[in-house]
Amino acid sequence: MKNDIIQGLARVRMLMAQWDDKLKLSSRFNQNQIDILLAMKALEEIYASNGGRKGIQSGEVKNSAICKTMSQSTYNRALKGLLKDGYMLEVPRSNGRYYLNPDKPLTASADLPDEETSDLLAFSGRLGM
């Protein structure tokens, strides 16, 4: 059973590396920024499915499974870079709530051929994402 879990994890990590290669995320962002962006995307989806809410509290992102091992100073530097470059925006009159900038997509729509995109979406759907 544990070997099956390890094998599944290995496959997911290999697939993630392939997706990153195709999307070229690591050519635009450092790993900490990628982790914050992925955590934001996941949290935004959770809130959208529960009726929506504008912005995610910074602490929720930092304490997410993706970012929890990141030191606070590393997290702050990565977040500051994403804000400076306009990939994330702060909710006005909020205390540390952010959202992904819809006018600044993380990838170009031409980054993946349609067939590959549908394969990736189907796979992530099977994972319950």
Side-chain angles (χ1 to χ4, degrees):
M1 178 69 170
K2 281 189 178 183
N3 282 338
D4 292 342
I5 293 170
I6 300 278
Q7 184 62 37
L9 179 60
R11 287 182 184 150
V12 168
R13 292 293 297 265
M14 290 293 289
L15 186 60
M16 287 176 61
Q18 291 170 355
W19 289 356
D20 179 58
D21 187 49
K22 290 181 187 313
L23 296 173
K24 311 247 184 292
L25 290 176
S26 57
S27 68
R28 287 176 274 197
F29 307 105
N30 66 43
Q31 187 59 52
N32 296 315
Q33 290 173 320
I34 291 170
D35 289 346
I36 290 172
L37 291 168
L38 294 176
M40 280 292 297
K41 189 67 176 163
L43 289 168
E44 281 186 348
E45 293 230 355
I46 290 168
Y47 285 119
S49 68
N50 292 327
R53 177 178 96 182
K54 187 71 169 184
I56 307 296
Q57 198 69 35
S58 179
E60 291 178 85
V61 178
K62 171 65 178 93
N63 293 321
S64 69
I66 297 173
C67 297
K68 69 181 175 186
T69 60
M70 200 181 298
S71 75
Q72 189 66 49
S73 59
T74 297
Y75 173 81
N76 290 340
R77 278 191 302 275
L79 178 62
K80 184 177 177 180
L82 292 168
L83 290 165
K84 181 175 101 23
D85 294 340
Y87 287 99
M88 288 177 58
L89 301 172
E90 187 166 9
V91 175
R93 295 180 301 286
S94 74
N95 191 11
R97 282 198 349 239
Y98 303 95
Y99 63 99
L100 295 174
N101 184 349
D103 297 326
K104 192 150 186 173
L106 303 179
T107 62
S109 58
D111 284 343
L112 286 176
D114 288 340
E115 184 178 315
E116 285 187 52
T117 302
S118 61
D119 289 347
L120 296 178
L121 292 173
F123 178 77
S124 66
R126 287 194 303 273
L127 291 176
M129 301 172 138

